[in-house]
Amino acid sequence: MSMTVIRAVEPRSPAHRAGVRVGETLTQINGHMIVDVLDYKFYSYDPRLELVLRDPEGNTRTVRLRKSEGEDLGLEFETYLMDRARSCANNCIFCFVDQMPPGMRPTLYFKDDDARLSFLMGNYLTLTNLSPREVQRIIDLRISPINVSVHTTDPQLRAEMLKNPRAGEGIEIMRRFAQNHITMNCQIVSCPGINDGPALDKTLADLAGMYPSVNSISVVPVGVTKYREGLYPLKPYTREQAAALVDQVEAFAQKHLEEKETRLVWCSDEFYLLAGRELPEESYFEEFTQLDNGVGMLRLLMSEFGRGLDLMEEEEMAGATPFSIATGVSAAPFLEKLVDMAWARCGKIEGKVYPILNRFFGETITVAGLVTGRDLIDQLRGQPLGERLLIPANMLRAGERVFLDDVTLDDVERELGVPVIPTAQDGYELLDAMCGIQTAPPPSMPNLPEDEYYRYNPGVRG
Ligand code: SF4
């Protein structure tokens, strides 16, 4: 079945007013073939549209309509992309999907690498599975910004890291995008002894050569789980290696700042935590362009938390009862600092932070977002947890009350005997949760049908 079959027409929308019907297939807009969501979004922008529709019997008809410029037509299709999601053509030596335990939900093993998801959802792509026609379409439709997993600009090293002989060509595609003013935000998954050191210097210099089309670069440490049997031998960063990398990136960023008024490249918070370094000040992160890669997230959280404390009334803190926080090993000292800040401010906010060892993926995985329900239960049972346990909301599948290992929030509450409060990455919300003030649940990204949202957001990308 074509994926451009209309599944729903929003009441009172321009398409509804024009008489577009559920079950029809949208084949053209203003003479352009509609193949997927990008064509649809791009060609439906204009205020005057001519739609060609085909009914299930194969009869076509043309519908003309007027609407405001940019107004949504009001159509929903069989799938969000109006096409199948593109899977990746690589076999990266550091791929997180390959390092997951067996028996998890099938959606978590899907390796997407789809330019449309990059533009619409912020996913990262490697540019290794695009045909020349698709490259041209990105340029023609001005699909920008896109997020690119670069890792290295050395063609041979890139081919070796991505285990794809054509991976080096992706850098040429980036150069074409740069010449055509497509904005690119870049990510480098850094693997010790492989693409850091001199290779990283070269990568940063090459990417800086594409500035301002290359708009930002994040450097994140490779995640190494205990499920690497038969895979390329990779080790996680040691404290010294992480510190050397932070120094290297900061030096490059400082030089770029002096020449071009932006640092262009940032290490993720995880690198600072691994290196045992203080997080840079808020202004260091400029526009916080790479927040989704965990760049500046903790500093922002601390700043918001501090501002929230300044604004908080005495009465709001008065009812604060003892609580606990569970998080990953790396962020635990940072959260302790926030609890201390609150205690110093009013002496009433009393909480205990529990770092949770990641036994599910292996103890080298220290980020909070990969802590599972089973590890929470096993490590917190019998501990003093106060009146409620706060957890980062990103431990749960987006918009659901389920952890990565399919243990539910209800299971954890029942086993631990306290309410468990998922808290968004937001300093104000965290402070409210510490004080026992209820906040709205985090939004569940209703734009996508649920099954697709989870497919595209497994939360454990490589
Ligand atoms: S890291 Fe990404 S691009 Fe590489 S194999 Fe895994 S899913 Fe594919």
Side-chain angles (χ1 to χ4, degrees), residues 88 90-92 94-98 111-113 126 461-462:
C88 87
N90 312 317
N91 198 4
C92 300
F94 51 82
C95 182
F96 200 88
V97 178
D98 291 338
K111 300 177 170 184
D112 81 68
D113 195 3
T126 59
R461 304 298 309 132

Side-chain angles (χ1 to χ4, degrees), residues 40-99:
Y40 170 65
K41 286 201 181 286
F42 188 79
Y43 293 118
S44 66
Y45 190 85
D46 291 349
R48 287 161 161 248
L49 300 182
E50 192 177 272
L51 314 182
V52 177
L53 300 156
R54 193 179 60 234
D55 70 17
E57 282 73 46
N59 308 310
T60 56
R61 66 185 185 114
T62 301
V63 165
R64 289 183 187 82
L65 59 85
R66 282 174 183 235
K67 63 177 189 59
S68 316
E69 193 172 66
E71 184 183 3
D72 188 46
L73 259 180
L75 297 179
E76 257 185 48
F77 297 89
E78 285 299 322
T79 64
Y80 175 73
L81 284 180
M82 302 166 70
D83 195 7
R84 275 178 230 296
R86 186 75 64 83
S87 65
C88 87
N90 312 317
N91 198 4
C92 300
I93 58 171
F94 51 82
C95 182
F96 200 88
V97 178
D98 291 338
Q99 306 180 64

Side-chain angles (χ1 to χ4, degrees), residues 422-442:
T423 310
Q425 280 282 346
D426 175 309
Y428 300 102
E429 192 173 312
L430 177 62
L431 180 60
D432 282 352
M434 284 188 187
C435 293
I437 300 168
Q438 287 283 338
T439 48

Side-chain angles (χ1 to χ4, degrees), residues 91-104 108-111 161 189-192 221-237 358-366 370 404 460-462:
N91 198 4
C92 300
I93 58 171
F94 51 82
C95 182
F96 200 88
V97 178
D98 291 338
Q99 306 180 64
M100 294 210 293
M104 297 178 74
L108 292 177
Y109 299 102
F110 181 70
K111 300 177 170 184
M161 290 185 76
V189 173
S190 194
C191 304
V222 62
V224 180
T225 79
K226 63 183 179 187
Y227 296 97
R228 287 203 60 88
E229 212 182 299
L231 299 179
Y232 188 94
L234 266 185
K235 291 219 170 350
Y237 271 90
N358 199 321
R359 302 213 166 108
F360 187 82
F361 286 106
E363 292 181 16
T364 45
I365 298 294
T366 55
L370 293 175
L404 268 177
V460 282
R461 304 298 309 132

Side-chain angles (χ1 to χ4, degrees), residues 186-198:
C186 302
Q187 180 201 51
I188 296 169
V189 173
S190 194
C191 304
I194 296 175
N195 59 336
D196 55 5

